[in-house]
């Protein structure tokens, strides 16, 4: 079954992720790369075109929880950057990623949005 032929692809257990590959403080906005991801269990669905399958790398991560609007995520990323410097933790060569915890963010008040941010660390 082709990806876009599947109805109700996002079942009740689907998870949504964002994987940013660039730092917006050093990369022009037109050059930023990001993967918007959802999980699905139906093995008959085949990604096609610009849709591909990806597995997030295993290993050790530090998780930060952001409560509130997505447009305030930059604040927690600044705090994470400070924490990385202050803690002396070593990062792995993997991208950070965000896991969006609300089932339907369009129907969730901004102050009720929850986002986990995962930072890949050595060890």
């Amino acid at each position: 079954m082709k990806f876009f032929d599947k109805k109700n692809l996002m079942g009740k257990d689907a998870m949504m992720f964002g994987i940013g590959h660039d730092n917006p403080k050093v990369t022009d906005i037109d050059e930023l790369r990001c993967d918007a991801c959802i999980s699905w269990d139906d093995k008959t669905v085949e990604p096609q075109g610009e849709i591909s399958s990806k597995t997030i790398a295993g290993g050790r991560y530090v998780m930060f929880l952001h409560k509130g609007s997505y447009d305030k995520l930059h604040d927690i990323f600044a705090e994470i950057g400070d924490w990385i410097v202050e803690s002396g933790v070593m990062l792995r060569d993997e991208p950070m990623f965000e896991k969006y915890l609300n089932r339907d963010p369009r129907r969730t008040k901004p102050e009720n949005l929850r986002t986990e941010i995962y930072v890949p660390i050595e060890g």
Side-chain angles (χ1 to χ4, degrees):
M1 175 178 290
K2 293 184 178 181
F3 191 84
F4 291 107
D5 293 339
K6 178 69 176 166
K7 292 186 190 244
N8 300 320
L9 181 64
M10 290 187 59
K12 64 180 178 159
D13 295 327
M15 295 179 281
M16 296 174 287
F17 301 90
I19 305 171
H21 298 283
D22 302 296
N23 182 339
K25 290 187 176 190
V26 297
T27 304
D28 290 334
I29 194 164
D30 294 337
E31 301 294 322
L32 291 173
R33 298 168 297 141
C34 179
D35 295 328
C37 309
I38 62 169
S39 65
W40 75 89
D41 293 328
D42 187 342
K43 302 303 180 206
T44 65
V45 176
E46 298 175 23
Q48 63 185 38
E50 291 187 21
I51 307 295
S52 64
S53 181
K54 174 178 281 226
T55 300
I56 294 174
R60 191 169 180 198
Y61 289 85
V62 173
M63 188 271 292
F64 296 84
L65 178 64
H66 171 72
K67 298 176 183 179
S69 175
Y70 296 143
D71 65 358
K72 300 291 184 191
L73 278 168
H74 59 86
D75 293 338
I76 193 164
F77 277 105
E79 292 177 28
I80 291 170
D82 291 344
W83 176 83
I84 290 168
V85 171
E86 292 169 10
S87 71
V89 69
M90 298 298 295
L91 301 179
R92 290 187 290 131
D93 188 21
E94 296 289 339
M96 294 182 198
F97 66 90
E98 301 164 10
K99 180 179 178 183
Y100 308 104
L101 301 179
N102 299 85
R103 178 78 185 117
D104 188 346
R106 298 169 299 178
R107 296 183 182 176
T108 305
K109 292 180 182 178
E111 62 270 19
N112 293 332
L113 292 170
R114 301 290 182 263
T115 306
E116 293 176 346
I117 300 167
Y118 290 83
V119 179
I121 61 171
E122 293 287 336

